[in-house]
Amino acid sequence: MVVKILLGVLILMVIPFAYIFAKDVIAHKNEPKEKPHWFSGLVGLVANFLDTLGIGSFAQITAIFKATKAVDDKVIPGTLNVANAIPIALQALIFITVVKVEVVTLVTLIASATVGAWLGAGIVAKFSRRMIRLVMGIALACTAILMTLSIAGLIEGHGSTTGLTGGFLIVGIIGNFFLGAFMTAGVGLYAPCMAMLFLLGMSPLCVFPIMMGSCAFLMPVAGIKFIKTGKYARKPSVAITITGAIGVLIAAYLITSLPLNILKIVVIVVVIYTSGAMLYSANQEKKQ
């Protein structure tokens, strides 16, 4: 029942977003054409496929748009939030429905990340984005090592339960609160959430509904704000929304059909990639 309510709330958030999005696009259907729509569509397909694997989509889309000038830099943030809101909601709907996660763990961790993101501006403002990325990058690298040793049987195994209890649940709630807060500094939640919950004993597959639900509840609200101010690229956003949903469906089928041991390896690869990306970004910010 609780899971159905959670899904119902998410759908109720997406419906007004989709209506406002469609209404705005139709009202501006004659605006000048940007880069070919097939280009934005291809970007959305690949980025959301990777996003569903846990790698994320914002960094890839931003890099491509900046390199190709496909979208004006001023509207990239809005475009990211509007264009990916429905694909990410689709991710959450699929994984919350298909993957069985203990209800208390699912709801409390999604709620803590959501609250963390809403209150995050005041908390994260006290830290530099470079320092957050540096610490998270190092922490993820260490976590990847521990996860690898666990799979190899060299330390006590982790990553098999469908929920957290007691102190582990409290740690997970607090951890996801701060991961939600760090999102306001541009630090993605997916890989750190994967790593944290794996080390707390959860199955890698059960992490997907939590991390996707954490983001899915935020983006429709953020997207509406960008739509109402017109600070997004309309036609590229439509293309990314459509092809992004296709990328999500392909990747979701792949993930849910993988054997658990192979999925653990996929998670480790994602964590290592994200660690490297964060450390690289921290180093680039130091040079600026």
Side-chain angles (χ1 to χ4, degrees), residues 9-140:
V9 171
L10 179 56
I11 292 172
L12 289 175
M13 293 176 70
V14 171
I15 290 175
F17 165 81
Y19 172 76
I20 294 171
F21 181 22
K23 183 178 178 181
D24 186 68
V25 170
I26 293 172
H28 296 85
K29 62 182 179 180
N30 295 322
E31 69 178 2
K33 186 177 180 180
E34 299 93 351
K35 285 278 185 178
H37 300 331
W38 66 263
F39 177 79
S40 295
L42 180 60
V43 171
L45 176 69
V46 175
N48 278 280
F49 176 87
L50 296 175
D51 192 65
T52 310
L53 295 181
I55 293 174
S57 61
F58 277 26
Q60 291 88 339
I61 295 175
T62 298
I64 293 173
F65 278 174
K66 281 182 172 291
T68 61
K69 307 292 185 182
V71 171
D72 191 302
D73 287 357
K74 294 180 181 179
V75 297
I76 286 179
T79 302
L80 292 173
N81 280 276
V82 174
N84 293 287
I86 290 177
I88 289 179
L90 181 60
Q91 291 178 26
L93 289 170
I94 291 172
F95 282 94
I96 290 175
T97 301
V98 174
V99 179
K100 302 302 179 184
V101 181
E102 195 271 323
V103 173
V104 173
T105 301
L106 177 67
V107 174
T108 55
L109 264 66
I110 288 177
S112 66
T114 303
V115 173
W118 279 114
L119 302 179
I123 297 174
V124 174
K126 299 177 182 178
F127 305 96
S128 70
R129 184 168 61 177
R130 177 180 178 274
M131 182 56 65
I132 293 173
R133 285 178 169 166
L134 183 63
V135 172
M136 292 293 289
I138 295 173
L140 286 173

Side-chain angles (χ1 to χ4, degrees), residues 268-283:
I268 291 175
V269 171
V270 170
V271 170
I272 292 173
Y273 168 84
T274 307
S275 171
M278 286 190 179
L279 292 173
Y280 175 80
S281 296
N283 184 59

Side-chain angles (χ1 to χ4, degrees), residues 146-160 168 198-199 201 264:
L146 292 175
M147 292 169 73
T148 303
L149 293 174
S150 173
I151 290 178
L154 299 177
I155 61 174
E156 183 179 352
H158 290 281
S160 59
F168 284 171
F198 182 88
L199 291 180
K264 288 180 179 180

Side-chain angles (χ1 to χ4, degrees), residues 39 179 254 262:
F39 177 79
L179 292 181
L254 174 65
I262 295 179

